[in-house]
């Protein structure tokens, strides 16, 4: 059904445009002076001012591996995250834990664990899927590098970002 | 012609055009970005130099270093000629603008022509050729449409621009811009006749046509310089970038700077005709006559006054740009031909009647 749009009938002074221009300029100049006088602040001067303190709890930054309270790497190299990762950012090379190792009963650990941060889309699916709570998205967001190789986080770097996380997974603890 | 005149003229050209107007062009680009940012609650370029003032230098270096790409399908000669044709007329018109009274006995105007406004209109309208050539030589549809739009727009508004100045020329009885400014310095600015002969019933009544002229003149100036709300030749939403779509690097920069140069010269002309040029209000520090020598510090103050007024007007241009939405094309044409043309004509008659009645 066609709708006839009613055009408002303008008064003669409205048709002059000049009052319209003046009231428009009142709006823009209002914004201008508020910003210039510093009464209103909207933008953050990024490298000098950061919003790190106000990052929300659920912020999804760079994914990282964590160790548990006994300094064991939590990752058991099940490769679930490698498979679920939508842009295939994760590459894992698993290896067997030698039988004389303290954690031999865990059987498997990653030999190499690379996350290509150019590919990662910070979706958090790796964290979601991990059965061992071994991979977490941290609050680091300024991931930069001057080459592609530099943008690949290897195992060492991932543990460096991740650090230690306690609790939640206890099945490999000696007590049990 | 003796050497003294040539040397004085060259010094004035170099100082006024290359050391003042061109940096002013760069600064107005910076001002445009900062002001628009503040209007939109942003910050704008603030990294290069104090408060981002050197941003223009960085931009210039970037423009120079970028690849100067000429597409295969363009008509090369015209394609290369077009950017210069936009920039040069804009700068050439600055020759007749009196940017100060006099300094060390030298009149602060490059060419003291007796047909100032006519020269400005004659030369400034040449820049439409640059845009037409750019649109045509680019050999692709968006620049072509931009060029066509620009031509019709400039032709339409040229008429009201010219006609809007006629009442002023009738009032001043003079076509020499320096004498016009001198007259305003003694008898009150066209828009502010509060001293000298202007302080009379005649002076006040004549501000009515002058005000109408001013509105028509300014609006036509917006259209002439292709700025919002009349930037149809290059509106991004419809025509990608209009007539300079195919241009890159310094050639694009010439279009870009040509627009700002035209804006500055337009402001200069508006200041000269309507706002008393380099003169201070209330006849302060007014020289005896157009040719009288003034102390050097008066001269400097006059130059400062001129540029202060021009900068204020440029800021006005900028604020208007970020306030008003773009016109539709038929509205633009209607406004030009049906309203401004008639108003300007009527205004000429009104001025004549007023002057005859008050004589
Ligand atoms: S956050 Fe998403 S994209 Fe990044 S590594 Fe994990 S699963 Fe892959
Ligand atoms: S991080 Fe988690 S999901 Fe990925 S391989 Fe290790 S244990 Fe499996």
């Amino acid at each position: 059904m066609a709708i006839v749009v009613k055009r408002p009938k303008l008064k003669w002074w409205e048709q002059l445009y000049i009052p319209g221009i003046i009231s428009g300029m009142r709006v823009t100049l209002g914004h201008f002076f508020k910003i210039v006088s510093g009464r209103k602040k909207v933008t953050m001067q990024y490298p000098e001012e950061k919003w790190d303190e106000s990052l929300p709890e659920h912020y999804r930054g760079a994914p990282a591996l964590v160790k548990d309270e006994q300094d064991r790497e939590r990752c058991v190299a099940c490769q679930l995250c490698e498979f679920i990762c939508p842009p295939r950012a994760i590459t894992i090379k698993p290896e067997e834990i030698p039988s004389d190792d303290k954690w031999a009963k865990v059987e498997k650990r990653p030999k190499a664990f690379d996350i290509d941060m150019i590919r990662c889309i910070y979706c958090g699916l790796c964290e979601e899927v991990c059965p061992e709570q071994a991979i977490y998205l941290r609050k680091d967001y300024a991931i930069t590098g001057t080459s592609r190789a530099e943008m690949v986080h290897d195992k060492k770097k991932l543990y460096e970002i991740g650090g230690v996380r306690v609790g939640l997974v206890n099945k490999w603890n000696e007590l049990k | 012609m003796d050497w003294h005149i040539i040397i004085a003229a060259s010094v004035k050209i170099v100082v006024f055009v290359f050391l003042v107007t061109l940096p002013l062009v760069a600064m107005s680009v910076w001002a445009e970005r900062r002001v628009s940012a503040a209007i939109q609650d942003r910050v704008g370029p603030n990294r290069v130099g104090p408060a981002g003032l050197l941003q223009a230098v960085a931009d210039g270096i970037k423009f120079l270093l970028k690849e100067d790409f000429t597409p295969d399908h363009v008509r090369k000669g015209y394609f290369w000629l077009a950017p210069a044709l936009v920039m040069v007329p804009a700068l050439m018109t600055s020759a007749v603008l009196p940017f100060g009274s006099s300094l060390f006995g030298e009149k602060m105007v490059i060419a003291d022509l007796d047909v100032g406004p006519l020269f400005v209109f004659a030369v400034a309208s040449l820049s439409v050729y640059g845009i037409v050539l750019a649109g045509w030589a680019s050999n692709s549809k968006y620049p072509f449409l931009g060029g066509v739009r620009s031509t019709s727009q400039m032709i339409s508004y040229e008429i009201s621009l010219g006609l809007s100045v006629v009442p002023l020329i009738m009032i001043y009885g003079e076509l020499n811009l320096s004498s016009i400014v001198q007259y305003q310095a003694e008898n009150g600015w066209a828009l502010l006749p509060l001293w000298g002969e202007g302080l009379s019933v005649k002076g006040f009544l004549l501000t009515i046509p002058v005000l109408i002229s001013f509105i028509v003149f300014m609006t036509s100036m917006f259209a002439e310089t292709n700025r919002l709300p009349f930037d149809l030749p290059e509106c991004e939403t419809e025509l990608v970038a209009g007539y300079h779509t195919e241009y890159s690097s310094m050639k694009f920069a010439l279009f870009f700077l040509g627009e700002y140069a035209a804006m500055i010269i337009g402001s200069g002309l508006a200041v000269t005709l309507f706002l008393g040029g380099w003169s201070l209000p209330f006849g302060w520090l007014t020289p005896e006559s157009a040719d009288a020598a003034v102390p050097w510090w008066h001269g400097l103050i006059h130059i400062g006054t001129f540029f202060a007024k021009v900068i204020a007007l440029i800021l006005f241009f900028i604020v208007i740009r970020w306030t008003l939405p773009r016109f539709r094309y038929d509205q633009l044409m209607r406004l030009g031909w049906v309203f401004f043309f008639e108003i300007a004509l009527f205004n000429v008659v009104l001025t004549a009647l007023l002057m005859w009645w008050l004589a």
Side-chain angles (χ1 to χ4, degrees):
Chain A
M1 196 183 79
I3 298 173
V4 179
V5 180
K6 259 232 181 83
R7 292 192 184 276
K9 199 106 191 94
L10 296 181
K11 307 266 171 16
W12 69 267
W13 71 85
E14 286 172 325
Q15 285 187 333
L16 278 181
Y17 289 112
I18 295 181
I21 293 174
I22 291 171
S23 59
M25 281 182 56
R26 246 205 347 257
V27 175
T28 44
L29 285 177
H31 279 263
F32 176 78
F33 285 119
K34 254 195 216 138
I35 289 287
V36 168
S37 64
R39 262 182 300 149
K40 188 170 160 196
K41 200 161 170 294
V42 182
T43 319
M44 203 174 259
Q45 296 289 311
Y46 168 62
E48 290 94 28
E49 294 169 24
K50 287 193 175 166
W51 55 319
D52 291 9
E53 315 83 59
S54 44
L55 283 181
E57 262 317 296
H58 51 266
Y59 185 81
R60 300 203 307 254
L65 294 173
V66 292
K67 292 190 172 167
D68 71 358
E69 51 273 68
Q70 278 123 338
D71 207 30
R72 177 185 67 85
E73 2 180 345
R74 277 193 176 178
C75 176
V76 295
C78 71
Q79 289 177 291
L80 280 176
C81 54
E82 185 174 0
F83 287 119
I84 198 146
C85 177
R88 299 196 182 171
I90 304 177
T91 322
I92 302 168
K93 264 206 204 92
E95 77 179 342
E96 207 179 328
I97 302 179
S99 48
D100 53 349
D101 195 280
K102 186 178 165 208
W103 296 106
K105 66 172 174 180
V106 181
E107 290 181 355
K108 238 174 137 195
R109 70 183 174 201
K111 188 169 159 210
F113 196 116
D114 291 336
I115 302 185
D116 188 346
M117 293 312 294
I118 300 178
R119 288 191 152 213
C120 175
I121 55 173
Y122 304 91
C123 62
L125 286 182
C126 46
E127 175 179 339
E128 196 101 337
V129 80
C130 179
E132 298 288 332
Q133 315 261 6
I135 189 164
Y136 281 95
L137 265 61
R138 310 304 301 240
K139 290 186 181 174
D140 310 56
Y141 51 86
I143 313 286
T144 55
T146 47
S147 65
R148 279 168 187 270
E150 225 172 287
M151 290 296 284
V152 177
H153 286 178
D154 57 6
K155 202 168 114 178
K156 190 166 148 267
K157 172 91 185 178
L158 289 172
Y159 278 118
E160 201 181 294
I161 306 175
V164 177
R165 191 126 179 171
V166 282
L168 291 169
V169 180
N170 292 317
K171 61 182 163 189
W172 305 110
N173 288 1
E174 285 305 329
L175 307 169
K176 292 216 171 157
Chain B
M1 190 184 279
D2 59 298
W3 286 108
H4 165 77
I5 297 176
I6 297 178
I7 292 173
S10 338
V11 169
K12 280 187 279 191
I13 290 173
V14 168
V15 171
F16 180 55
V17 178
F18 294 101
L19 295 182
V20 178
T21 308
L22 283 182
L24 204 59
V25 168
M27 288 332 289
S28 54
V29 176
W30 171 81
E32 170 106 60
R33 294 174 66 182
R34 285 308 292 259
V35 170
S36 67
I39 285 174
Q40 298 172 346
D41 293 349
R42 294 183 285 118
V43 176
N46 65 344
R47 295 282 151 160
V48 197
L53 273 169
L54 295 180
Q55 182 68 35
V57 180
D59 284 347
I61 293 171
K62 188 193 84 174
F63 275 131
L64 283 173
L65 294 182
K66 273 201 166 179
E67 184 191 357
D68 192 358
F69 183 72
T70 309
D72 248 356
H73 55 75
V74 301
R75 296 187 170 84
K76 298 242 161 39
Y78 297 117
F79 188 78
W80 284 339
L81 184 66
L85 266 184
V86 171
M87 186 73 181
V88 171
L91 289 181
M92 241 162 82
T93 42
S94 63
V96 291
L97 287 185
F99 52 91
S101 51
S102 58
L103 201 58
F104 307 120
E106 204 39 69
K107 257 186 156 183
M108 283 295 106
V109 50
I110 295 169
D112 199 12
L113 280 193
D114 280 337
V115 287
L118 299 185
F119 175 82
V120 171
F121 292 140
V123 175
S125 50
L126 282 181
S127 65
V128 72
Y129 285 108
I131 293 174
V132 173
L133 275 186
W136 177 71
S138 291
N139 220 347
S140 87
K141 57 184 177 254
Y142 293 122
F144 180 71
L145 283 175
V148 169
R149 280 185 179 188
S150 172
T151 323
S152 47
Q153 173 179 330
M154 283 206 165
I155 290 172
S156 320
Y157 280 86
E158 200 104 312
I159 295 173
S160 34
L161 189 70
L163 280 175
S164 69
V165 176
V166 174
L168 285 160
I169 295 170
M170 285 162 70
I171 294 169
Y172 300 139
E174 183 70 70
L175 271 173
N176 182 316
L177 286 173
S178 307
S179 317
I180 288 178
V181 175
Q182 179 68 24
Y183 177 88
Q184 291 187 72
E186 284 162 15
N187 299 318
W189 304 347
L191 274 177
L192 192 73
L194 292 180
W195 60 95
E197 267 178 41
L199 198 56
S200 61
V201 182
K202 184 180 172 192
F204 285 132
L205 276 181
L206 281 179
T207 47
I208 300 168
V210 170
L211 189 66
I212 298 174
S213 274
F214 184 65
I215 291 169
V216 175
F217 183 88
M218 285 308 281
T219 320
S220 308
M221 212 67 217
F222 276 100
E224 284 284 305
T225 50
N226 289 330
R227 282 180 65 84
L228 235 97
F230 303 113
D231 70 337
L232 285 125
E234 46 185 300
C235 55
E236 298 88 357
T237 38
E238 297 160 33
L239 296 182
V240 190
Y243 53 85
H244 53 61
T245 306
E246 304 285 350
Y247 284 87
S248 56
S249 166
M250 209 55 207
K251 291 208 208 76
F252 165 74
L254 277 182
F255 278 116
F256 190 66
L257 298 180
E259 182 192 321
Y260 282 89
M263 181 174 98
I264 290 170
I265 302 302
S267 309
L269 192 62
V271 164
T272 309
L273 287 173
F274 294 94
L275 298 169
W278 43 258
S279 61
L280 289 161
F282 303 107
W284 294 328
L285 307 183
T286 299
E288 300 285 304
S289 74
D291 297 311
V294 293
W296 62 271
W297 57 277
H298 282 195
L300 284 185
I301 289 177
H302 287 150
I303 293 175
T305 318
F306 177 77
F307 283 107
K309 288 179 190 172
V310 168
I311 288 168
L313 217 53
I314 291 171
L315 288 177
F316 175 71
F317 265 81
I318 291 173
V319 173
I320 284 285
R321 167 165 181 182
W322 297 96
T323 302
L324 299 181
R326 183 181 297 134
F327 276 78
R328 216 171 54 210
Y329 198 65
D330 58 319
Q331 291 171 334
L332 176 91
M333 281 296 153
R334 212 164 93 93
L335 191 69
W337 285 106
V338 181
F339 294 107
F340 279 173
F341 181 51
E342 270 76 358
I343 288 175
L345 266 185
F346 163 78
N347 202 22
V348 174
V349 178
L350 177 71
T351 320
L353 285 178
L354 276 178
M355 288 180 73
W356 170 69
W357 181 52
L358 296 163

